Amino acid sequence: MATLPSGIKFLNCGNFIANEFTTSSSQMDVVSPWSGLAIGNVSMSGSNEIELAMNAAKKAFPLWRATPLKERCQKLFKFREIVLQRIDNIAAYASAESGKTHAEAKAGIMKGLEVTEFALSLQNMDSGGAMDVSRGVTCEYRREPLGVVLGIMPFNFPAMVPLWMYPIAITLGNCFIMKPSEKVPMTTQLMAECMRDAEFPAGVFQVIHGGADVVNKLVEHPDVKAVGFVGSTPVAKLLYSKATSFGKRALTLGGAKNHLMVVPDADEQITVRGVVDSFTGCAGQRCMAASLLIAVGKVDHVIDKIVAQAKAIKLGEQMGAIIDQAAMKRIRGAVDQAEQDGAKILLDGRLAKAPQGFENGNWFGPTIIDHAKPNWSCATTEIFGPVLTIVRVNNLSEALALEAKNPFGNATSIFTTSGAVAKMVADNATSGMIGVNIGVPVPREPFSFGGTKDSKFGACDITGESSLDFWSQLKKITMKWTHQSDANWMS
Ligand code: NAD
């Protein structure tokens, strides 16, 4: 019988409204993917709680927007310090509720803190601008907050994805309401405690838990000015059209089917490590995970080593668990379907054994499907598990043509030692994020994160400089202080 992971206590995750935690009358269990045990519960909010949060945010906004940027940053500096002090504990809960290994959970928090550091740099960078545009006439622009803004989160990065949004939105002077994934509310509970202890004014950062009904009420709410979303493509599409039809700005990031191309001159060591880490990291539950390997020409020597390295991965130590039973069924179904279609299963994660003590958890081993046809579902749909599908082509043009047909556009990588090949892929691939000899080409700050096609709906990226335009608006001020003797009606 599995027990709660060491250091983990049963956690009641309430809403965080006006700097107070409150519990809803309705709750749902939080089940650990490691053990299948309930390790906490989460409030399922009603309309009343949404109104309380909206009112607190509206009340906080005038004072927060009038707070100088440098003062806003002081709170965020404090938040960053507190998170760093508590990082091991937060990572333990993030791991327990999401299925990640402890190291992955901690790395996710650190990555999110890089965005926090970018937000902190705004105090020295985002000074606006002014210019004399005519004799005696000055034009100035300032970046101004929007008001109450919303962030809706997926399960797979319970700390990092929220940290893509709220440090930047809040530093710019907005009041942020977050709706975490109901599958992983515990990390948010601990991060909200960090925000409370950093002494942000009540209403600046708030958390409303719940499912799809709560998301819809929040998105439709007249006080919400902007909607940030990260999750699956069908929901991203739905919420983009809903939010924009209500006259709000929206940036909604969806799923992915990331293509990795391997050509015969690829460096074996870099390629094998890059591909295996990419499709098995976080048990493949990453929007930047390798999903389709395009084998260009004779690369069997690399594929053999990829299989050997993936086969050696120890579940529970080097690779974590799958979020829930529904995901297990989806992943198993995708591999079953590939087998029925005629693919060769080089490595079969369906046969994997659970780590000792975690027999009731959701375990699926690394899986490699070879000789798939480009139109089979294993080659086209997002499986979101530790499954790599291999499609074989004759040359780079065929590989690029296949990549162009991918309805998703998060990441595309090329493994090669040729600069010309790398440049050809960087120039012609259609994804928003391109990697050269990198399995997970996530841009680091200050470069921004964002895909194309069905991986992102809306303008701007979610991090980096591009995100500033999403979470703020520019005010333009034109001034004249001196009399102009030659002024005419146009002056
Ligand atoms: P999901 O779309 O099921 O859920 C995301 C959020 O939307 C949750 O908070 C959930 O409560 C809410 N939601 C779910 N169904 C809804 C509906 N019908 N109406 C309104 N709200 C709804 O996604 P998930 O399973 O939590 O996360 C995994 C997905 O997220 C994968 O597809 C993955 O590729 C994607 N993802 C994308 C990125 C990116 O940057 N593009 C990053 C992380 C995850």
Side-chain angles (χ1 to χ4, degrees):
M1 172 75 178
T3 52
L4 288 179
S6 62
I8 297 290
K9 293 197 186 94
F10 191 92
L11 211 58
N12 297 301
C13 304
N15 292 318
F16 183 62
I17 301 174
N19 280 2
E20 302 282 345
F21 287 100
T22 60
T23 309
S24 303
S25 52
S26 165
Q27 275 139 31
M28 200 178 90
D29 278 350
V30 179
V31 177
S32 175
W34 287 79
S35 60
L37 284 181
I39 54 172
N41 63 30
V42 56
S43 285
M44 299 304 276
S45 310
S47 302
N48 189 28
E49 286 145 310
I50 292 175
E51 277 321 304
L52 286 174
M54 288 295 166
N55 289 337
K58 271 196 299 182
K59 193 170 163 205
F61 180 60
L63 266 182
W64 185 240
R65 73 170 281 178
T67 303
L69 181 57
K70 282 186 191 289
E71 276 180 42
R72 288 185 219 138
C73 283
Q74 288 311 313
K75 305 280 183 206
L76 198 65
F77 267 119
K78 197 165 168 191
F79 164 73
R80 179 182 169 278
E81 262 171 46
I82 296 170
V83 173
L84 284 172
Q85 282 159 13
R86 301 177 188 173
I87 192 163
D88 280 312
N89 186 48
I90 301 170
Y93 281 88
S95 162
E97 68 177 350
S98 71
K100 287 180 197 294
T101 64
H102 186 90
E104 287 169 344
K106 194 167 171 178
I109 302 169
M110 289 306 294
K111 196 81 187 49
L113 286 182
E114 281 191 23
V115 184
T116 307
E117 285 153 16
F118 171 75
L120 286 167
S121 71
L122 294 179
Q123 61 174 332
N124 299 321
M125 177 175 122
D126 195 44
S127 51
M131 189 179 161
D132 289 339
V133 291
S134 171
R135 286 179 197 285
V137 180
T138 306
C139 263
E140 180 192 337
Y141 78 85
R142 290 179 201 161
R143 204 175 273 289
E144 296 217 326
L146 303 172
V148 182
V149 298
L150 186 63
I152 302 151
M153 310 303 168
F155 80 82
N156 66 324
F157 279 98
M160 184 187 78
V161 169
L163 285 169
W164 283 353
M165 297 193 213
Y166 61 82
I168 294 175
I170 284 172
T171 302
L172 289 171
N174 299 291
C175 291
F176 191 91
I177 296 183
M178 168 171 164
K179 207 302 281 175
S181 165
E182 59 275 37
K183 295 175 187 170
V184 292
M186 297 163 80
T187 308
T188 296
Q189 174 82 10
L190 302 178
M191 295 297 275
E193 284 175 15
C194 296
M195 288 297 279
R196 179 198 61 196
D197 297 346
E199 297 176 359
F200 280 87
V204 168
F205 171 81
Q206 302 183 95
V207 178
I208 292 288
H209 289 290
D213 57 323
V214 169
V215 171
N216 288 322
K217 283 182 189 139
L218 287 166
V219 170
E220 288 167 18
H221 200 286
D223 291 331
V224 167
K225 303 292 181 226
V227 177
F229 169 89
V230 178
S232 61
T233 290
V235 184
K237 242 183 202 168
L238 197 81
L239 293 183
Y240 182 77
S241 63
K242 180 183 279 257
T244 50
S245 76
F246 276 80
K248 294 153 197 238
R249 59 172 74 177
L251 176 57
T252 67
L253 275 56
K257 185 81 182 172
N258 302 309
H259 288 28
L260 267 57
M261 303 172 186
V262 177
V263 297
D265 74 4
D267 178 282
E268 218 172 88
Q269 232 182 336
I270 292 181
T271 307
V272 172
R273 186 77 207 258
V275 172
V276 173
D277 284 353
S278 181
F279 90 91
T280 63
C282 301
Q285 298 163 108
R286 279 196 285 196
C287 65
M288 294 293 279
S291 183
L292 189 81
L293 190 150
I294 308 182
V296 185
K298 288 195 181 355
V299 292
D300 286 274
H301 58 293
V302 182
I303 291 173
D304 290 347
K305 291 215 165 78
I306 289 171
V307 174
Q309 193 157 314
K311 198 174 179 179
I313 286 175
K314 290 195 175 70
L315 290 193
E317 279 176 43
Q318 292 156 304
M319 198 174 101
I322 303 297
I323 187 70
D324 56 21
Q325 280 298 318
M328 287 289 284
K329 197 171 159 206
R330 184 191 64 236
I331 299 165
R332 182 175 289 276
V335 181
D336 291 348
Q337 184 62 52
E339 201 169 34
Q340 278 169 34
D341 287 340
K344 193 171 170 195
I345 312 295
L346 300 183
L347 184 61
D348 195 343
R350 292 172 296 185
L351 311 172
K353 280 210 179 106
Q356 207 181 359
F358 296 101
E359 286 76 10
N360 292 329
N362 311 322
W363 300 98
F364 202 96
T367 300
I368 300 178
I369 299 169
D370 198 3
H371 295 289
K373 295 273 180 280
N375 61 343
W376 290 355
S377 66
C378 60
T380 55
T381 56
E382 181 180 42
I383 298 172
F384 218 55
V387 180
L388 183 71
T389 300
I390 303 174
V391 169
R392 291 169 182 262
V393 299
N394 296 312
N395 52 50
L396 199 56
S397 303
E398 280 181 35
L400 283 166
L402 201 59
E403 194 268 356
K405 278 195 189 150
N406 180 4
F408 299 101
N410 247 14
T412 298
S413 286
I414 172 77
F415 287 87
T416 182
T417 47
S418 155
V421 168
K423 182 162 168 24
M424 184 156 173
V425 172
D427 289 350
N428 293 293
T430 59
S431 291
M433 294 170 276
I434 308 296
V436 175
N437 298 320
I438 307 268
V440 184
V442 175
R444 294 184 75 156
E445 309 308 313
F447 297 94
S448 61
F449 185 101
T452 58
K453 302 194 272 185
D454 276 0
S455 294
K456 192 187 79 171
F457 303 91
C460 303
D461 281 341
I462 198 74
T463 62
E465 269 185 50
S466 170
S467 70
L468 306 182
D469 288 333
F470 181 68
W471 296 115
S472 68
Q473 56 201 349
L474 293 183
K475 179 181 273 178
K476 285 72 61 181
I477 304 154
T478 308
M479 288 188 278
K480 177 157 73 177
W481 293 102
T482 51
H483 173 70
Q484 247 180 293
S485 56
D486 59 349
N488 60 30
W489 65 273
M490 276 279 284
S491 299

